[in-house]
Short mmCIF file of all heavy atoms in Angstrom, two decimals:
data_model
loop_
_atom_site.label_atom_id
_atom_site.label_comp_id
_atom_site.label_asym_id
_atom_site.label_seq_id
_atom_site.Cartn_x
_atom_site.Cartn_y
_atom_site.Cartn_z
N MET A 5 150.11 -4.07 105.02
CA MET A 5 149.74 -5.04 103.94
C MET A 5 148.76 -4.38 103.01
O MET A 5 147.80 -3.76 103.36
CB MET A 5 149.10 -6.27 104.51
CG MET A 5 148.54 -7.31 103.51
SD MET A 5 147.86 -8.76 104.37
CE MET A 5 146.16 -8.40 104.08
N PHE A 6 148.97 -4.55 101.73
CA PHE A 6 148.11 -4.08 100.75
C PHE A 6 146.92 -5.02 100.53
O PHE A 6 147.07 -6.16 100.45
CB PHE A 6 148.85 -3.91 99.49
CG PHE A 6 149.75 -2.71 99.28
CD1 PHE A 6 151.05 -2.87 99.28
CD2 PHE A 6 149.08 -1.43 99.01
CE1 PHE A 6 151.86 -1.75 99.18
CE2 PHE A 6 149.96 -0.44 98.98
CZ PHE A 6 151.31 -0.49 99.00
N VAL A 7 145.78 -4.30 100.48
CA VAL A 7 144.44 -5.16 100.20
C VAL A 7 144.16 -4.98 98.75
O VAL A 7 143.81 -6.02 98.24
CB VAL A 7 143.39 -4.54 101.10
CG1 VAL A 7 141.99 -5.15 100.74
CG2 VAL A 7 143.61 -4.81 102.66
N CYS A 8 144.35 -3.70 98.20
CA CYS A 8 144.05 -3.63 96.77
C CYS A 8 145.35 -3.13 96.13
O CYS A 8 145.74 -1.92 96.34
CB CYS A 8 142.95 -2.55 96.62
SG CYS A 8 142.54 -2.03 94.91
N SER A 9 145.86 -4.08 95.38
CA SER A 9 147.27 -3.71 94.75
C SER A 9 146.82 -2.72 93.48
O SER A 9 147.86 -2.05 93.01
CB SER A 9 147.95 -5.01 94.31
OG SER A 9 147.28 -5.74 93.54
N CYS A 10 145.70 -2.77 92.95
CA CYS A 10 145.34 -2.00 91.67
C CYS A 10 145.46 -0.57 92.17
O CYS A 10 145.94 0.28 91.30
CB CYS A 10 143.93 -2.33 91.20
SG CYS A 10 143.84 -4.03 90.47
N PHE A 11 144.94 -0.23 93.36
CA PHE A 11 145.06 1.18 93.66
C PHE A 11 145.92 1.54 94.91
O PHE A 11 145.86 2.62 95.48
CB PHE A 11 143.55 1.70 94.00
CG PHE A 11 142.72 1.73 92.70
CD1 PHE A 11 141.87 0.67 92.49
CD2 PHE A 11 142.96 2.76 91.83
CE1 PHE A 11 141.06 0.84 91.36
CE2 PHE A 11 142.10 2.81 90.64
CZ PHE A 11 141.22 1.81 90.33
N GLY A 12 146.61 0.50 95.38
CA GLY A 12 147.60 0.75 96.46
C GLY A 12 146.86 0.97 97.67
O GLY A 12 147.45 1.83 98.66
N VAL A 13 145.73 0.38 98.03
CA VAL A 13 144.94 0.50 99.31
C VAL A 13 145.43 -0.50 100.30
O VAL A 13 145.39 -1.60 100.12
CB VAL A 13 143.44 0.38 99.07
CG1 VAL A 13 142.66 0.72 100.38
CG2 VAL A 13 143.13 1.51 98.02
N THR A 14 145.80 0.10 101.58
CA THR A 14 146.21 -0.80 102.54
C THR A 14 145.05 -1.41 103.54
O THR A 14 144.04 -0.76 103.45
CB THR A 14 147.32 -0.16 103.34
OG1 THR A 14 146.71 0.92 104.18
CG2 THR A 14 148.55 0.35 102.54
N GLU A 15 145.35 -2.34 104.31
CA GLU A 15 144.40 -2.86 105.30
C GLU A 15 144.10 -1.68 106.18
O GLU A 15 142.94 -1.47 106.69
CB GLU A 15 145.09 -4.05 106.04
CG GLU A 15 144.17 -4.51 107.03
CD GLU A 15 144.83 -5.91 107.66
OE1 GLU A 15 145.61 -6.47 107.09
OE2 GLU A 15 144.38 -6.16 108.82
N ALA A 16 145.13 -0.98 106.62
CA ALA A 16 144.87 0.21 107.58
C ALA A 16 143.95 1.23 107.03
O ALA A 16 143.07 1.76 107.66
CB ALA A 16 146.25 0.84 108.00
N GLN A 17 143.92 1.52 105.63
CA GLN A 17 143.11 2.45 105.08
C GLN A 17 141.75 1.90 105.06
O GLN A 17 140.72 2.76 105.26
CB GLN A 17 143.50 2.74 103.66
CG GLN A 17 144.82 3.55 103.58
CD GLN A 17 145.34 3.75 102.18
OE1 GLN A 17 145.78 2.66 101.54
NE2 GLN A 17 145.29 4.90 101.63
N VAL A 18 141.47 0.60 104.78
CA VAL A 18 140.18 0.07 104.82
C VAL A 18 139.66 0.29 106.17
O VAL A 18 138.43 0.53 106.40
CB VAL A 18 140.20 -1.36 104.29
CG1 VAL A 18 138.90 -2.05 104.44
CG2 VAL A 18 140.67 -1.49 102.83
N LYS A 19 140.36 -0.19 107.18
CA LYS A 19 139.87 -0.04 108.51
C LYS A 19 139.52 1.35 108.92
O LYS A 19 138.58 1.56 109.72
CB LYS A 19 141.05 -0.62 109.51
CG LYS A 19 141.01 -2.31 109.37
CD LYS A 19 142.05 -2.83 110.47
CE LYS A 19 142.12 -4.26 110.24
NZ LYS A 19 143.19 -4.87 111.11
N ARG A 20 140.27 2.24 108.47
CA ARG A 20 140.02 3.68 108.78
C ARG A 20 138.75 4.08 108.18
O ARG A 20 137.96 4.77 108.89
CB ARG A 20 141.18 4.58 108.37
CG ARG A 20 141.12 6.01 108.78
CD ARG A 20 142.28 6.82 108.50
NE ARG A 20 143.12 5.85 107.53
CZ ARG A 20 144.25 6.05 107.01
NH1 ARG A 20 144.96 7.09 107.35
NH2 ARG A 20 144.75 5.21 106.31
N HIS A 21 138.45 3.81 106.86
CA HIS A 21 137.27 4.03 106.20
C HIS A 21 136.11 3.43 106.93
O HIS A 21 134.96 3.92 107.16
CB HIS A 21 137.32 3.66 104.73
CG HIS A 21 138.25 4.57 103.90
ND1 HIS A 21 138.06 5.91 103.85
CD2 HIS A 21 139.28 4.16 103.16
CE1 HIS A 21 139.00 6.42 103.17
NE2 HIS A 21 139.75 5.42 102.61
N ALA A 22 136.31 2.12 107.45
CA ALA A 22 135.18 1.47 108.19
C ALA A 22 135.01 2.15 109.55
O ALA A 22 133.74 2.33 109.90
CB ALA A 22 135.73 -0.01 108.37
N ALA A 23 136.01 2.57 110.06
CA ALA A 23 135.80 3.30 111.40
C ALA A 23 135.04 4.69 111.20
O ALA A 23 134.35 5.18 111.95
CB ALA A 23 137.13 3.63 111.99
N ASP A 24 135.17 5.17 109.97
CA ASP A 24 134.49 6.50 109.55
C ASP A 24 133.17 6.17 109.10
O ASP A 24 132.45 7.22 108.73
CB ASP A 24 135.32 7.12 108.47
CG ASP A 24 136.64 7.76 109.05
OD1 ASP A 24 136.72 8.00 110.23
OD2 ASP A 24 137.51 8.06 108.23
N GLY A 25 132.51 4.89 109.08
CA GLY A 25 131.29 4.62 108.70
C GLY A 25 130.97 3.86 107.52
O GLY A 25 129.83 3.54 107.24
N ALA A 26 132.05 3.49 106.73
CA ALA A 26 131.81 2.54 105.56
C ALA A 26 131.56 1.21 106.02
O ALA A 26 132.24 0.61 106.87
CB ALA A 26 133.05 2.66 104.67
N CYS A 27 130.38 0.65 105.69
CA CYS A 27 130.02 -0.61 106.21
C CYS A 27 130.06 -1.79 105.20
O CYS A 27 129.80 -2.92 105.50
CB CYS A 27 128.54 -0.49 106.75
SG CYS A 27 128.39 0.66 107.94
N THR A 28 130.18 -1.36 103.79
CA THR A 28 129.96 -2.32 102.84
C THR A 28 131.17 -2.21 101.90
O THR A 28 131.83 -1.16 101.81
CB THR A 28 128.85 -2.22 101.99
OG1 THR A 28 128.77 -0.97 101.34
CG2 THR A 28 127.56 -2.36 102.86
N PRO A 29 131.60 -3.28 101.06
CA PRO A 29 132.47 -3.15 100.06
C PRO A 29 132.44 -1.99 99.12
O PRO A 29 133.36 -1.11 98.70
CB PRO A 29 132.73 -4.53 99.37
CG PRO A 29 132.23 -5.37 100.41
CD PRO A 29 131.18 -4.62 101.23
N ARG A 30 131.12 -1.83 98.77
CA ARG A 30 130.70 -0.61 97.88
C ARG A 30 131.06 0.76 98.51
O ARG A 30 131.48 1.59 97.80
CB ARG A 30 129.20 -0.75 97.51
CG ARG A 30 128.85 0.36 96.50
CD ARG A 30 127.41 0.17 96.03
NE ARG A 30 127.53 -1.09 95.13
CZ ARG A 30 126.45 -1.48 94.55
NH1 ARG A 30 125.38 -0.96 94.76
NH2 ARG A 30 126.54 -2.54 93.81
N GLN A 31 130.84 0.86 99.82
CA GLN A 31 131.06 2.04 100.51
C GLN A 31 132.64 2.27 100.71
O GLN A 31 133.04 3.43 100.58
CB GLN A 31 130.47 2.17 101.91
CG GLN A 31 128.97 2.40 101.84
CD GLN A 31 128.21 1.99 103.07
OE1 GLN A 31 128.75 1.67 104.03
NE2 GLN A 31 126.99 2.49 103.12
N ILE A 32 133.28 1.26 100.80
CA ILE A 32 134.81 1.35 100.76
C ILE A 32 135.37 1.66 99.47
O ILE A 32 136.16 2.74 99.26
CB ILE A 32 135.50 0.05 101.11
CG1 ILE A 32 135.11 -0.36 102.67
CG2 ILE A 32 136.93 -0.02 100.95
CD1 ILE A 32 135.73 0.44 103.73
N ALA A 33 134.77 1.22 98.39
CA ALA A 33 135.10 1.58 96.95
C ALA A 33 134.80 3.13 96.73
O ALA A 33 135.65 3.61 96.07
CB ALA A 33 134.34 0.82 96.05
N SER A 34 133.68 3.50 97.30
CA SER A 34 133.38 4.91 97.14
C SER A 34 134.43 5.82 97.73
O SER A 34 134.79 6.88 97.34
CB SER A 34 132.00 5.25 97.61
OG SER A 34 131.10 4.61 96.86
N ALA A 35 135.01 5.32 98.96
CA ALA A 35 135.99 6.13 99.60
C ALA A 35 137.29 6.13 99.06
O ALA A 35 137.96 7.09 99.16
CB ALA A 35 135.86 5.65 101.10
N CYS A 36 137.70 4.98 98.50
CA CYS A 36 139.11 4.84 98.05
C CYS A 36 139.41 4.01 96.76
O CYS A 36 140.54 3.76 96.56
CB CYS A 36 139.95 4.26 99.22
SG CYS A 36 139.46 2.56 99.68
N LYS A 37 138.28 3.61 96.10
CA LYS A 37 138.40 2.88 94.84
C LYS A 37 138.82 1.45 94.98
O LYS A 37 138.72 0.64 94.09
CB LYS A 37 139.35 3.58 93.83
CG LYS A 37 138.99 4.81 93.33
CD LYS A 37 140.00 5.33 92.32
CE LYS A 37 139.33 6.24 91.29
NZ LYS A 37 140.50 6.56 90.30
N ALA A 38 139.17 0.91 96.23
CA ALA A 38 139.51 -0.48 96.30
C ALA A 38 138.30 -1.29 96.00
O ALA A 38 137.17 -1.19 96.22
CB ALA A 38 139.86 -0.84 97.85
N GLY A 39 138.60 -2.38 95.06
CA GLY A 39 137.69 -3.32 94.53
C GLY A 39 136.97 -2.92 93.32
O GLY A 39 136.02 -3.64 92.87
N THR A 40 137.53 -1.76 92.65
CA THR A 40 136.58 -1.23 91.50
C THR A 40 137.29 -1.69 90.23
O THR A 40 136.83 -1.45 89.29
CB THR A 40 136.46 0.23 91.54
OG1 THR A 40 137.65 0.91 91.60
CG2 THR A 40 135.65 0.68 92.79
N ASP A 41 138.57 -2.15 90.32
CA ASP A 41 139.23 -2.50 89.09
C ASP A 41 139.07 -4.11 88.80
O ASP A 41 138.08 -4.44 88.23
CB ASP A 41 140.67 -2.10 89.08
CG ASP A 41 141.42 -2.08 87.80
OD1 ASP A 41 140.65 -2.09 86.72
OD2 ASP A 41 142.69 -2.21 87.81
N CYS A 42 140.07 -4.78 89.33
CA CYS A 42 139.83 -6.36 89.03
C CYS A 42 138.95 -7.00 89.99
O CYS A 42 138.59 -8.09 89.69
CB CYS A 42 141.41 -6.95 89.09
SG CYS A 42 142.02 -7.23 90.72
N GLY A 43 138.80 -6.50 91.12
CA GLY A 43 137.83 -7.04 92.07
C GLY A 43 138.30 -8.19 92.90
O GLY A 43 137.60 -8.83 93.74
N SER A 44 139.54 -8.51 92.78
CA SER A 44 140.10 -9.64 93.51
C SER A 44 140.21 -9.38 95.05
O SER A 44 140.34 -10.29 95.86
CB SER A 44 141.53 -10.07 93.06
OG SER A 44 142.46 -9.07 93.30
N CYS A 45 140.08 -8.16 95.44
CA CYS A 45 140.20 -7.71 96.92
C CYS A 45 138.93 -7.59 97.59
O CYS A 45 138.95 -7.44 98.73
CB CYS A 45 140.95 -6.44 96.99
SG CYS A 45 140.26 -5.02 96.20
N VAL A 46 137.84 -7.71 96.88
CA VAL A 46 136.61 -7.61 97.48
C VAL A 46 136.16 -8.52 98.62
O VAL A 46 135.71 -8.16 99.67
CB VAL A 46 135.39 -7.71 96.46
CG1 VAL A 46 134.03 -7.70 96.97
CG2 VAL A 46 135.52 -6.53 95.52
N ARG A 47 136.61 -9.78 98.57
CA ARG A 47 136.45 -10.80 99.55
C ARG A 47 137.38 -10.44 100.81
O ARG A 47 136.97 -10.61 101.97
CB ARG A 47 136.72 -12.27 99.00
CG ARG A 47 135.62 -12.66 98.21
CD ARG A 47 135.95 -14.13 97.82
NE ARG A 47 134.97 -14.72 96.68
CZ ARG A 47 134.10 -15.47 96.98
NH1 ARG A 47 133.87 -15.87 98.06
NH2 ARG A 47 133.35 -15.88 95.93
N THR A 48 138.50 -9.94 100.51
CA THR A 48 139.42 -9.46 101.70
C THR A 48 138.69 -8.33 102.36
O THR A 48 138.74 -8.26 103.61
CB THR A 48 140.75 -9.15 101.10
OG1 THR A 48 141.32 -10.29 100.65
CG2 THR A 48 141.65 -8.72 102.43
N ILE A 49 138.11 -7.41 101.56
CA ILE A 49 137.51 -6.22 102.19
C ILE A 49 136.25 -6.70 102.93
O ILE A 49 135.99 -6.21 104.11
CB ILE A 49 137.03 -5.16 101.10
CG1 ILE A 49 138.37 -4.58 100.42
CG2 ILE A 49 136.15 -4.03 101.57
CD1 ILE A 49 138.10 -3.73 99.15
N GLN A 50 135.54 -7.66 102.41
CA GLN A 50 134.37 -8.19 103.17
C GLN A 50 134.83 -8.84 104.48
O GLN A 50 134.19 -8.60 105.60
CB GLN A 50 133.67 -9.13 102.44
CG GLN A 50 132.84 -8.64 101.29
CD GLN A 50 132.24 -9.67 100.34
OE1 GLN A 50 132.93 -10.72 100.01
NE2 GLN A 50 131.11 -9.33 99.78
N ALA A 51 135.94 -9.58 104.52
CA ALA A 51 136.40 -10.17 105.71
C ALA A 51 136.86 -9.11 106.79
O ALA A 51 136.61 -9.15 107.95
CB ALA A 51 137.60 -11.13 105.36
N LEU A 52 137.49 -8.02 106.27
CA LEU A 52 137.99 -6.95 107.09
C LEU A 52 136.64 -6.25 107.80
O LEU A 52 136.84 -5.90 109.01
CB LEU A 52 138.86 -6.03 106.45
CG LEU A 52 140.24 -6.40 106.08
CD1 LEU A 52 140.91 -5.35 105.17
CD2 LEU A 52 141.09 -6.63 107.27
N LEU A 53 135.76 -6.07 106.92
CA LEU A 53 134.58 -5.48 107.58
C LEU A 53 133.69 -6.32 108.50
O LEU A 53 133.26 -5.80 109.45
CB LEU A 53 133.62 -4.95 106.36
CG LEU A 53 134.15 -3.92 105.53
CD1 LEU A 53 133.24 -3.71 104.24
CD2 LEU A 53 134.29 -2.65 106.21
N GLY A 54 133.77 -7.60 108.17
CA GLY A 54 133.09 -8.57 109.10
C GLY A 54 131.64 -8.21 109.32
O GLY A 54 130.94 -7.59 108.52
N ARG A 55 131.25 -8.61 110.47
CA ARG A 55 129.75 -8.31 110.69
C ARG A 55 129.69 -7.39 111.98
O ARG A 55 128.89 -7.57 112.87
CB ARG A 55 129.13 -9.66 110.92
CG ARG A 55 127.65 -9.81 110.99
CD ARG A 55 126.90 -9.38 109.64
NE ARG A 55 125.56 -9.23 109.89
CZ ARG A 55 124.72 -8.58 109.31
NH1 ARG A 55 125.07 -7.83 108.31
NH2 ARG A 55 123.36 -8.42 109.78
N GLY A 56 130.64 -6.47 111.99
CA GLY A 56 130.76 -5.67 113.23
C GLY A 56 129.53 -4.58 113.16
O GLY A 56 128.74 -4.57 112.32
N SER A 57 129.60 -3.72 114.09
CA SER A 57 128.63 -2.70 114.22
C SER A 57 128.67 -1.68 113.06
O SER A 57 129.76 -1.21 112.79
CB SER A 57 128.69 -1.93 115.61
OG SER A 57 127.86 -0.91 115.70
N CYS A 58 127.62 -1.46 112.57
CA CYS A 58 127.43 -0.47 111.54
C CYS A 58 126.06 0.25 111.68
O CYS A 58 125.16 -0.33 111.58
CB CYS A 58 127.58 -1.15 110.23
SG CYS A 58 127.20 0.04 108.75
N PRO A 59 126.13 1.52 111.85
CA PRO A 59 124.95 2.39 112.08
C PRO A 59 123.96 2.11 110.99
O PRO A 59 122.76 1.89 111.39
CB PRO A 59 125.43 3.83 112.09
CG PRO A 59 126.87 3.87 112.49
CD PRO A 59 127.35 2.42 111.87
N ARG A 60 124.26 2.14 109.84
CA ARG A 60 123.27 1.89 108.72
C ARG A 60 122.81 0.48 108.61
O ARG A 60 121.61 0.31 108.52
CB ARG A 60 123.89 2.17 107.28
CG ARG A 60 124.09 3.67 107.05
CD ARG A 60 124.65 4.01 105.73
NE ARG A 60 125.06 5.31 105.54
CZ ARG A 60 126.06 5.75 104.74
NH1 ARG A 60 126.72 4.83 103.97
NH2 ARG A 60 126.33 7.05 104.74
N ARG A 61 123.63 -0.43 108.89
CA ARG A 61 123.28 -1.96 108.95
C ARG A 61 122.30 -2.07 110.13
O ARG A 61 121.24 -2.86 110.06
CB ARG A 61 124.36 -2.82 109.03
CG ARG A 61 124.00 -4.27 108.91
CD ARG A 61 125.15 -5.22 108.99
NE ARG A 61 126.18 -5.03 107.95
CZ ARG A 61 127.45 -4.80 108.32
NH1 ARG A 61 127.91 -4.95 109.45
NH2 ARG A 61 128.27 -4.63 107.28
N ASP A 62 122.59 -1.54 111.24
CA ASP A 62 121.80 -1.66 112.42
C ASP A 62 120.38 -1.06 112.17
O ASP A 62 119.32 -1.72 112.57
CB ASP A 62 122.43 -0.95 113.73
CG ASP A 62 123.64 -1.49 114.12
OD1 ASP A 62 123.89 -2.76 113.78
OD2 ASP A 62 124.52 -0.93 114.78
N LEU A 63 120.27 0.14 111.57
CA LEU A 63 119.05 0.64 111.18
C LEU A 63 118.18 -0.29 110.28
O LEU A 63 117.02 -0.42 110.44
CB LEU A 63 119.11 2.02 110.46
CG LEU A 63 119.47 3.21 111.47
CD1 LEU A 63 119.81 4.44 110.66
CD2 LEU A 63 118.52 3.48 112.52
N ALA A 64 118.93 -0.83 109.22
CA ALA A 64 118.27 -1.64 108.23
C ALA A 64 117.73 -3.04 109.02
O ALA A 64 116.58 -3.46 108.73
CB ALA A 64 119.25 -2.07 107.18
N ASP A 65 118.57 -3.51 110.01
CA ASP A 65 118.13 -4.66 110.71
C ASP A 65 116.88 -4.49 111.60
O ASP A 65 116.03 -5.34 111.89
CB ASP A 65 119.24 -5.31 111.51
CG ASP A 65 120.36 -5.79 110.80
OD1 ASP A 65 120.18 -6.09 109.62
OD2 ASP A 65 121.52 -5.99 111.37
N GLN A 66 116.80 -3.15 111.92
CA GLN A 66 115.61 -2.81 112.68
C GLN A 66 114.35 -2.40 111.80
O GLN A 66 113.32 -2.12 112.31
CB GLN A 66 115.92 -1.58 113.66
CG GLN A 66 116.90 -1.87 114.68
CD GLN A 66 117.33 -0.61 115.31
OE1 GLN A 66 116.81 0.49 115.16
NE2 GLN A 66 118.48 -0.67 116.09
N GLY A 67 114.46 -2.50 110.62
CA GLY A 67 113.47 -2.20 109.69
C GLY A 67 113.30 -0.60 109.41
O GLY A 67 112.28 -0.16 108.95
N ARG A 68 114.28 0.08 109.87
CA ARG A 68 114.06 1.66 109.82
C ARG A 68 114.85 2.04 108.46
O ARG A 68 115.67 1.46 108.08
CB ARG A 68 114.78 2.25 111.07
CG ARG A 68 114.00 1.89 112.33
CD ARG A 68 114.56 2.34 113.54
NE ARG A 68 114.85 3.68 113.68
CZ ARG A 68 115.56 4.29 114.44
NH1 ARG A 68 116.38 3.56 115.43
NH2 ARG A 68 115.92 5.50 114.47
N PRO A 69 114.40 3.20 108.05
CA PRO A 69 115.05 3.85 106.81
C PRO A 69 116.50 4.19 107.08
O PRO A 69 116.92 4.75 108.07
CB PRO A 69 114.21 4.91 106.32
CG PRO A 69 113.44 5.36 107.75
CD PRO A 69 113.35 4.08 108.46
N VAL A 70 117.36 3.85 106.19
CA VAL A 70 118.74 4.04 106.37
C VAL A 70 119.21 5.35 105.59
O VAL A 70 120.39 5.76 105.76
CB VAL A 70 119.75 2.76 105.91
CG1 VAL A 70 119.44 1.68 106.74
CG2 VAL A 70 119.40 2.57 104.34
N LEU A 71 118.47 5.90 104.66
CA LEU A 71 118.69 6.91 103.84
C LEU A 71 117.87 8.16 104.30
O LEU A 71 117.58 9.00 103.56
CB LEU A 71 118.64 6.73 102.35
CG LEU A 71 119.59 5.62 101.85
CD1 LEU A 71 119.34 5.45 100.48
CD2 LEU A 71 121.08 6.07 102.21
N ALA A 72 117.33 8.26 105.41
CA ALA A 72 116.42 9.28 105.94
C ALA A 72 117.06 10.72 105.85
O ALA A 72 116.40 11.65 105.69
CB ALA A 72 115.85 8.96 107.34
N ASP A 73 118.36 10.82 105.97
CA ASP A 73 119.10 12.09 106.04
C ASP A 73 119.39 12.49 104.63
O ASP A 73 119.89 13.54 104.48
CB ASP A 73 120.32 11.93 106.91
CG ASP A 73 121.30 10.97 106.41
OD1 ASP A 73 120.85 9.89 105.86
OD2 ASP A 73 122.50 11.13 106.56
N VAL A 74 119.09 11.74 103.52
CA VAL A 74 119.31 12.27 102.15
C VAL A 74 118.12 13.12 101.78
O VAL A 74 116.99 12.88 101.73
CB VAL A 74 119.44 11.04 101.32
CG1 VAL A 74 119.62 11.43 99.88
CG2 VAL A 74 120.56 10.14 101.58
N VAL A 75 118.57 14.32 101.33
CA VAL A 75 117.62 15.30 100.82
C VAL A 75 117.41 15.12 99.35
O VAL A 75 118.31 15.04 98.67
CB VAL A 75 118.18 16.77 101.10
CG1 VAL A 75 117.17 17.74 100.57
CG2 VAL A 75 118.43 17.00 102.47
N GLU A 76 116.08 14.97 99.04
CA GLU A 76 115.79 14.83 97.70
C GLU A 76 115.97 16.10 96.83
O GLU A 76 115.59 17.03 97.42
CB GLU A 76 114.29 14.16 97.41
CG GLU A 76 114.15 12.83 98.02
CD GLU A 76 112.83 12.28 97.70
OE1 GLU A 76 112.27 12.62 96.62
OE2 GLU A 76 112.27 11.42 98.44
N PRO A 77 116.43 16.03 95.63
CA PRO A 77 116.56 17.22 94.86
C PRO A 77 115.14 17.81 94.50
O PRO A 77 114.21 17.15 94.43
CB PRO A 77 117.25 16.78 93.60
CG PRO A 77 117.04 15.42 93.48
CD PRO A 77 116.90 14.84 94.89
N ALA A 78 115.09 19.22 94.42
CA ALA A 78 113.81 19.85 94.14
C ALA A 78 113.44 19.40 92.69
O ALA A 78 114.36 19.24 91.84
CB ALA A 78 114.17 21.29 94.20
N ARG A 79 112.18 19.35 92.52
CA ARG A 79 111.59 18.98 91.22
C ARG A 79 111.61 20.20 90.30
O ARG A 79 111.54 21.37 90.80
CB ARG A 79 110.21 18.43 91.32
CG ARG A 79 110.15 17.07 92.16
CD ARG A 79 108.81 17.00 92.64
NE ARG A 79 108.12 15.76 92.29
CZ ARG A 79 106.82 15.54 92.44
NH1 ARG A 79 106.09 16.54 92.75
NH2 ARG A 79 106.29 14.41 92.13
N LEU A 80 111.65 19.96 89.16
CA LEU A 80 111.68 21.08 88.16
C LEU A 80 110.46 21.98 88.18
O LEU A 80 110.47 23.14 88.21
CB LEU A 80 111.79 20.71 86.74
CG LEU A 80 113.29 19.96 86.40
CD1 LEU A 80 113.30 19.44 85.06
CD2 LEU A 80 114.34 20.98 86.61
N ASP A 81 109.31 21.29 88.36
CA ASP A 81 108.08 21.99 88.45
C ASP A 81 107.84 22.88 89.70
O ASP A 81 107.19 23.69 89.85
CB ASP A 81 106.86 21.12 88.29
CG ASP A 81 106.69 19.94 89.31
OD1 ASP A 81 106.99 20.21 90.59
OD2 ASP A 81 106.57 18.80 88.89
N GLU A 82 108.63 22.39 90.86
CA GLU A 82 108.57 23.25 92.08
C GLU A 82 109.47 24.48 91.98
O GLU A 82 109.34 25.35 92.63
CB GLU A 82 109.02 22.44 93.31
CG GLU A 82 108.05 21.22 93.59
CD GLU A 82 108.70 20.32 94.70
OE1 GLU A 82 109.89 20.46 95.06
OE2 GLU A 82 107.88 19.57 95.13
N ALA A 83 110.51 24.22 91.16
CA ALA A 83 111.41 25.42 91.01
C ALA A 83 110.82 26.70 90.13
O ALA A 83 111.38 27.72 90.25
CB ALA A 83 112.76 24.92 90.27
N ALA A 84 109.85 26.33 89.49
CA ALA A 84 109.36 27.40 88.61
C ALA A 84 108.33 28.35 89.28
O ALA A 84 107.98 28.15 90.31
CB ALA A 84 108.57 26.81 87.41
#
């Protein structure tokens, strides 16, 4: 079944991206563009994602940083 007819994204693709760690409609959009055109599929994507286990959401619920593994770019003054 198609979830996003604008980009031809199926329910199986959304579930696969969720299994790979996408926890929010925005993360699904980054993975496959679903929800970025007309937006009519965003509620369906939210329903598919549900409130299941998500490593980033679990960290946020615990009050821990969720982007700790992101390396900040070097500052220009440090590069000189």
